[in-house]
Short mmCIF file of all heavy atoms in Angstrom, two decimals:
data_model
loop_
_atom_site.label_atom_id
_atom_site.label_comp_id
_atom_site.label_asym_id
_atom_site.label_seq_id
_atom_site.Cartn_x
_atom_site.Cartn_y
_atom_site.Cartn_z
N SER A 299 -9.35 42.49 -3.15
CA SER A 299 -8.19 42.92 -3.95
C SER A 299 -7.29 41.72 -4.22
O SER A 299 -7.40 40.69 -3.54
CB SER A 299 -7.41 44.03 -3.22
OG SER A 299 -8.26 45.15 -2.97
N LEU A 300 -6.34 41.89 -5.15
CA LEU A 300 -5.37 40.86 -5.42
C LEU A 300 -4.38 40.77 -4.26
O LEU A 300 -4.04 41.77 -3.64
CB LEU A 300 -4.65 41.15 -6.71
CG LEU A 300 -5.46 41.13 -7.99
CD1 LEU A 300 -4.59 41.60 -9.17
CD2 LEU A 300 -5.99 39.74 -8.27
N HIS A 301 -3.90 39.56 -4.04
CA HIS A 301 -2.83 39.38 -3.04
C HIS A 301 -1.52 39.79 -3.73
O HIS A 301 -1.36 39.68 -4.93
CB HIS A 301 -2.73 37.91 -2.62
CG HIS A 301 -4.04 37.35 -2.11
ND1 HIS A 301 -4.65 37.84 -1.00
CD2 HIS A 301 -4.83 36.34 -2.56
CE1 HIS A 301 -5.78 37.17 -0.75
NE2 HIS A 301 -5.90 36.25 -1.71
N PRO A 302 -0.57 40.28 -2.95
CA PRO A 302 0.72 40.67 -3.51
C PRO A 302 1.48 39.45 -4.07
O PRO A 302 1.32 38.33 -3.57
CB PRO A 302 1.44 41.32 -2.35
CG PRO A 302 0.80 40.76 -1.14
CD PRO A 302 -0.63 40.54 -1.49
N GLY A 303 2.29 39.70 -5.08
CA GLY A 303 3.13 38.62 -5.63
C GLY A 303 2.75 38.30 -7.05
O GLY A 303 1.73 38.76 -7.57
N PRO A 304 3.57 37.48 -7.73
CA PRO A 304 3.32 37.09 -9.12
C PRO A 304 2.04 36.26 -9.24
O PRO A 304 1.64 35.55 -8.30
CB PRO A 304 4.54 36.30 -9.52
CG PRO A 304 5.11 35.78 -8.21
CD PRO A 304 4.81 36.86 -7.20
N ILE A 305 1.42 36.27 -10.40
CA ILE A 305 0.13 35.63 -10.60
C ILE A 305 0.18 34.80 -11.91
O ILE A 305 0.55 35.27 -12.95
CB ILE A 305 -1.02 36.61 -10.74
CG1 ILE A 305 -1.16 37.43 -9.44
CG2 ILE A 305 -2.35 35.89 -11.00
CD1 ILE A 305 -2.13 38.61 -9.55
N SER A 306 -0.19 33.51 -11.79
CA SER A 306 -0.32 32.65 -12.94
C SER A 306 -1.75 32.20 -13.15
O SER A 306 -2.13 31.75 -14.25
CB SER A 306 0.56 31.40 -12.79
OG SER A 306 1.94 31.78 -12.84
N LEU A 307 -2.60 32.32 -12.13
CA LEU A 307 -3.98 31.85 -12.18
C LEU A 307 -4.83 32.72 -11.30
O LEU A 307 -4.49 32.91 -10.11
CB LEU A 307 -4.09 30.37 -11.81
CG LEU A 307 -5.42 29.66 -11.92
CD1 LEU A 307 -5.22 28.17 -12.27
CD2 LEU A 307 -6.28 29.81 -10.68
N LEU A 308 -5.94 33.25 -11.83
CA LEU A 308 -6.88 34.07 -11.08
C LEU A 308 -8.15 33.24 -10.82
O LEU A 308 -8.71 32.68 -11.77
CB LEU A 308 -7.25 35.33 -11.89
CG LEU A 308 -6.08 36.29 -12.14
CD1 LEU A 308 -6.38 37.17 -13.35
CD2 LEU A 308 -5.82 37.14 -10.92
N HIS A 309 -8.60 33.19 -9.59
CA HIS A 309 -9.65 32.26 -9.21
C HIS A 309 -10.74 33.01 -8.42
O HIS A 309 -10.49 33.51 -7.33
CB HIS A 309 -9.08 31.12 -8.37
CG HIS A 309 -10.04 30.02 -8.07
ND1 HIS A 309 -9.71 28.99 -7.21
CD2 HIS A 309 -11.27 29.75 -8.51
CE1 HIS A 309 -10.76 28.15 -7.15
NE2 HIS A 309 -11.70 28.62 -7.92
N TRP A 310 -11.96 33.05 -9.01
CA TRP A 310 -13.06 33.70 -8.36
C TRP A 310 -13.83 32.77 -7.41
O TRP A 310 -15.06 32.64 -7.52
CB TRP A 310 -14.01 34.32 -9.40
CG TRP A 310 -13.49 35.64 -9.93
CD1 TRP A 310 -13.90 36.88 -9.58
CD2 TRP A 310 -12.46 35.84 -10.92
NE1 TRP A 310 -13.21 37.85 -10.26
CE2 TRP A 310 -12.32 37.25 -11.08
CE3 TRP A 310 -11.65 34.97 -11.67
CZ2 TRP A 310 -11.38 37.79 -11.98
CZ3 TRP A 310 -10.71 35.53 -12.53
CH2 TRP A 310 -10.61 36.92 -12.67
N SER A 311 -13.11 32.09 -6.56
CA SER A 311 -13.79 31.27 -5.52
C SER A 311 -14.56 32.18 -4.61
O SER A 311 -14.19 33.33 -4.39
CB SER A 311 -12.78 30.43 -4.78
OG SER A 311 -11.78 31.23 -4.15
N GLY A 312 -15.64 31.69 -4.00
CA GLY A 312 -16.53 32.52 -3.25
C GLY A 312 -17.84 32.74 -3.99
O GLY A 312 -18.07 32.20 -5.05
N LYS A 313 -18.71 33.52 -3.41
CA LYS A 313 -20.06 33.67 -3.98
C LYS A 313 -20.12 34.51 -5.26
O LYS A 313 -20.89 34.24 -6.17
CB LYS A 313 -20.97 34.32 -2.92
CG LYS A 313 -22.42 34.42 -3.37
CD LYS A 313 -23.32 35.02 -2.25
CE LYS A 313 -24.75 35.08 -2.71
NZ LYS A 313 -25.61 35.65 -1.65
N GLY A 314 -19.29 35.55 -5.34
CA GLY A 314 -19.32 36.47 -6.50
C GLY A 314 -18.62 35.90 -7.71
O GLY A 314 -17.47 35.46 -7.63
N LYS A 315 -19.33 35.87 -8.84
CA LYS A 315 -18.73 35.40 -10.09
C LYS A 315 -18.57 36.60 -11.07
O LYS A 315 -19.48 37.42 -11.16
CB LYS A 315 -19.60 34.29 -10.71
CG LYS A 315 -19.80 33.09 -9.80
CD LYS A 315 -18.48 32.52 -9.28
CE LYS A 315 -18.67 31.48 -8.20
NZ LYS A 315 -17.40 31.07 -7.58
N PRO A 316 -17.49 36.67 -11.79
CA PRO A 316 -17.22 37.86 -12.58
C PRO A 316 -18.24 38.12 -13.68
O PRO A 316 -18.60 39.27 -13.94
CB PRO A 316 -15.84 37.58 -13.19
CG PRO A 316 -15.68 36.10 -13.12
CD PRO A 316 -16.40 35.67 -11.87
N TRP A 317 -18.76 37.06 -14.31
CA TRP A 317 -19.76 37.28 -15.40
C TRP A 317 -21.04 37.84 -14.87
O TRP A 317 -21.72 38.66 -15.52
CB TRP A 317 -19.97 36.03 -16.18
CG TRP A 317 -20.38 34.82 -15.41
CD1 TRP A 317 -21.66 34.38 -15.19
CD2 TRP A 317 -19.50 33.84 -14.80
NE1 TRP A 317 -21.68 33.22 -14.44
CE2 TRP A 317 -20.38 32.86 -14.20
CE3 TRP A 317 -18.13 33.67 -14.70
CZ2 TRP A 317 -19.86 31.75 -13.50
CZ3 TRP A 317 -17.63 32.60 -14.01
CH2 TRP A 317 -18.51 31.66 -13.40
N LEU A 318 -21.43 37.44 -13.65
CA LEU A 318 -22.65 37.94 -13.06
C LEU A 318 -22.49 39.40 -12.62
O LEU A 318 -23.40 40.23 -12.80
CB LEU A 318 -23.08 37.08 -11.86
CG LEU A 318 -23.44 35.63 -12.20
CD1 LEU A 318 -23.78 34.86 -10.92
CD2 LEU A 318 -24.62 35.54 -13.18
N ARG A 319 -21.35 39.70 -12.04
CA ARG A 319 -21.12 41.08 -11.61
C ARG A 319 -20.96 42.04 -12.80
O ARG A 319 -21.40 43.17 -12.73
CB ARG A 319 -19.90 41.12 -10.65
CG ARG A 319 -20.15 40.32 -9.39
CD ARG A 319 -19.17 40.59 -8.26
NE ARG A 319 -17.78 40.22 -8.53
CZ ARG A 319 -16.95 39.79 -7.60
NH1 ARG A 319 -17.34 39.65 -6.36
NH2 ARG A 319 -15.71 39.50 -7.93
N LEU A 320 -20.33 41.57 -13.84
CA LEU A 320 -20.19 42.40 -15.03
C LEU A 320 -21.54 42.66 -15.71
O LEU A 320 -21.83 43.78 -16.13
CB LEU A 320 -19.25 41.74 -16.06
CG LEU A 320 -17.75 41.76 -15.68
CD1 LEU A 320 -16.98 40.72 -16.50
CD2 LEU A 320 -17.17 43.15 -15.87
N ASP A 321 -22.38 41.61 -15.75
CA ASP A 321 -23.73 41.78 -16.35
C ASP A 321 -24.60 42.72 -15.52
O ASP A 321 -25.47 43.41 -16.06
CB ASP A 321 -24.42 40.42 -16.47
CG ASP A 321 -23.84 39.58 -17.60
OD1 ASP A 321 -23.01 40.12 -18.36
OD2 ASP A 321 -24.20 38.40 -17.72
N SER A 322 -24.38 42.71 -14.22
CA SER A 322 -25.18 43.58 -13.35
C SER A 322 -24.68 45.04 -13.38
O SER A 322 -25.30 45.90 -12.77
CB SER A 322 -25.15 43.07 -11.93
OG SER A 322 -23.84 43.26 -11.35
N ARG A 323 -23.56 45.24 -14.09
CA ARG A 323 -22.91 46.57 -14.18
C ARG A 323 -22.46 47.07 -12.82
O ARG A 323 -22.40 48.26 -12.58
CB ARG A 323 -23.83 47.55 -14.86
CG ARG A 323 -24.20 47.18 -16.27
CD ARG A 323 -24.91 48.27 -17.02
NE ARG A 323 -25.18 47.84 -18.42
CZ ARG A 323 -25.78 48.63 -19.32
NH1 ARG A 323 -26.15 49.90 -18.99
NH2 ARG A 323 -25.98 48.18 -20.55
N LYS A 324 -22.13 46.08 -11.97
CA LYS A 324 -21.58 46.43 -10.65
C LYS A 324 -20.33 45.56 -10.40
O LYS A 324 -20.24 44.83 -9.41
CB LYS A 324 -22.60 46.19 -9.56
CG LYS A 324 -23.81 47.09 -9.62
CD LYS A 324 -24.79 46.81 -8.50
CE LYS A 324 -26.02 47.72 -8.57
NZ LYS A 324 -27.02 47.42 -7.50
N PRO A 325 -19.41 45.61 -11.38
CA PRO A 325 -18.25 44.72 -11.25
C PRO A 325 -17.25 45.20 -10.19
O PRO A 325 -17.17 46.37 -9.85
CB PRO A 325 -17.62 44.78 -12.65
CG PRO A 325 -17.96 46.16 -13.12
CD PRO A 325 -19.36 46.44 -12.57
#
Side-chain angles (χ1 to χ4, degrees):
S299 301
L300 295 174
H301 306 298
I305 300 171
S306 293
L307 185 150
L308 297 158
H309 188 187
W310 279 260
S311 58
K313 185 177 181 180
K315 302 306 171 188
W317 56 92
L318 296 178
R319 296 195 296 212
L320 287 164
D321 286 353
S322 70
R323 299 189 178 183
K324 295 180 180 179

